[in-house]
Amino acid sequence: MVEVSDKLEEEEKELPPLPNLEKWSKIIMRLAPFPSGPLHIGNARMVILNDYYVKRYDGELILVFDDTIGSEEKVVEPDAYDLIPEGLDYLDVKCHRTIYKSDRLDLFYKYAVDLIERREAYVCDCDAEVWRTKHKLEMKACPCSFLSVEDNLARWERMLDGSYPERSAAVRLMTGMTDPDPAMRDHVILRISDAEHPRVGAKYRVWPLLEYSWGIDDHELGISHIIRGKDLVKEGKIEQHIWNIYGWPHSELMYYGRIRFQDAKLSKSKSRKEVLDGVYSGWDDPRTWSLQSLEKRGIHPDALRKAMLDLGLSVVDISMSMKPVYSENRKIRDEQSPRLFLVLDPVWLSISGLPTSVTEVEAPVHPDFPERGVRKIPLNVKKGAVSLGVSSTDFQRIDEGEVFRLKDLANFTMRKKKAPSALFYSLDVDDVRRISGPIIHWVPEKESIPIELVMIDGHEVEGVAEPSAKGLKQGTFLQFERVGFGKVFEDDPKIRVAFSHK
RNA sequence: GCCCCGGUAGUGUAGCCCGGCCCAGCAUCUAGGGUUUUCGACCCUAUGACCCGGGUUCGAAUCCCGGCCGGGGCACCA
């Protein structure tokens, strides 16, 4: 027994300590994604929770690609082997080891033989449907379970050597046919699949099921604590059954409920199809809700982390909004985000009557930090007249004759009757403040920069940004005043920005 | 049909194991105000919850029973 010091103290949100710490000399946990695509926001809870405790207890985190053969609906996507670590990197999660389930088949075979020899498992060649109705539901033992060890081992060999076609035989663990829970009755732990595996090809045709492979591996890898979704509680029970057979110490099992995001519909299979078909721009398309897509949008990993940790370890299924994540992201990012004017769907106003003294506007890079300087917006006024763009929604909102302010510039009277235009009214901000008139953002027609904004739903909208947007560099997180936050993900030939949130 | 699990403000969460400090804390959302030449950040204020019914107890969000509602499992998927 080693003293496991609890390093966390005055952290704002403290999760409960891990159970039975004293039983483990070291905290070892694991991340076990099935590599079917990049990690997405729905997987973030699993990752962050495990990482949180490993860091808190100075433990070890193992990345285990749970890449067994899967099923027709669940197939290994080779790109995922790179996309998953990429997502972990973004979340600042460090894995101390990386392991591939597909490298460990021999180990699972070894234990399969041992379990058969101990009469804890048997090879069943019943039809799955028959087995379910005649045996499982009626709680009647399967005739295969009475076969001798020798017969079972012979059957096992036939599974391996190809004599048994796919689905014609499987290894069942003798958990007991009289268990009140039908889910627990002699569950299949290994089965045949002739599918090709992206990493090991056709080397193996007998593959373990999740609950079995983990029953072995959680022990083999010395996993002390397991935090996983509650859809895996049955699997946990089967693991415990295996641990009991061998008298192994039980890893501590913890479950959390499922999260649904109100503003995000997650479907890895749909994403995969759309990415492959080119409908989505790639695995970082906002509609995939992949970790990559969140990074592209400039969602700070700490914002995600905080939101996930705030959920705690509740086992209740929840439906949460992205709002808390966005709120946290604004808090983190606001201070560092330069301001800029971007006008979507511009309406060009013919401005007239501008005093000759007004030739250029200076607006703060950040209103809370004047020392960061100003952005210069040249006007190119010709005889007191100039064309300035405002967003169409603002234009529609302001009535004929109403006084409004173009932020950092001056106050104007709206003229709509013939053509969109505005007449200079005054310079002083207070004039418009007194009447609570609108203060809106704008861009000059000359020298402004076209910008493409990729929205969260994948749609792209064209906009025009003020001249100082010229030379914006990829990776810059910024705020378009009154439009929202975003991150530049392309700067050549065109500036393209991923919209983050309001 | 069988087996688990759970129900605290709109949303999420703390408290429940070891009943009183909870006329229930926090975050987000919403509304209003302050600051600000942004619908951002920051500061302040307000509204808003213990699923229902019994029981135990001096005292229950916390313990017990029943009900209702919700989620998950019963795959040769993970």
Side-chain angles (χ1 to χ4, degrees), chain A residues 138-151:
Chain A
E138 295 182 13
M139 299 165 79
K140 280 203 201 107
C142 167
C144 306
S145 66
F146 300 121
L147 260 34
S148 68
V149 170
E150 290 67 35
D151 288 345

Side-chain angles (χ1 to χ4, degrees), chain A residues 155-287:
Chain A
R155 284 181 163 198
W156 167 248
E157 285 306 322
R158 283 200 275 153
M159 282 179 73
L160 294 173
D161 69 21
S163 315
Y164 275 122
E166 239 179 75
R167 298 187 72 86
S168 65
V171 180
R172 290 184 184 278
L173 185 68
M174 280 200 190
T175 37
M177 293 304 285
T178 53
D179 194 302
D181 181 356
M184 290 302 291
R185 294 173 199 154
D186 285 12
H187 209 272
V188 168
I189 55 172
L190 293 124
R191 55 18 147 120
I192 299 166
S193 172
D194 288 321
E196 187 107 348
H197 189 278
R199 283 189 75 251
V200 295
K203 188 173 172 191
Y204 304 102
R205 59 176 240 120
V206 174
W207 289 88
L209 259 43
L210 178 149
E211 46 274 58
Y212 169 64
S213 68
W214 278 113
I216 305 299
D217 268 349
D218 278 322
H219 172 259
E220 287 282 327
L221 301 175
I223 305 298
S224 64
H225 297 258
I226 299 166
I227 300 179
R228 51 159 72 139
K230 73 166 185 191
D231 48 315
L232 260 27
V233 304
K234 175 206 73 189
E235 285 69 18
K237 279 159 83 180
I238 290 175
E239 284 192 68
Q240 288 176 324
H241 180 93
I242 293 170
W243 300 335
N244 285 337
I245 291 172
Y246 290 108
W248 292 337
H250 287 26
S251 307
E252 313 293 336
L253 294 163
M254 280 172 287
Y255 302 97
Y256 56 81
R258 311 259 308 180
I259 321 181
R260 285 188 320 117
F261 286 89
Q262 290 148 11
D263 13 29
K265 38 203 176 316
L266 303 178
S267 166
K268 224 172 230 178
S269 51
K270 177 172 191 219
S271 294
R272 183 163 182 275
K273 183 183 181 303
E274 305 291 31
V275 169
L276 261 35
D277 291 352
V279 176
Y280 288 1
S281 61
W283 275 117
D284 62 358
D285 187 286
R287 288 163 290 187

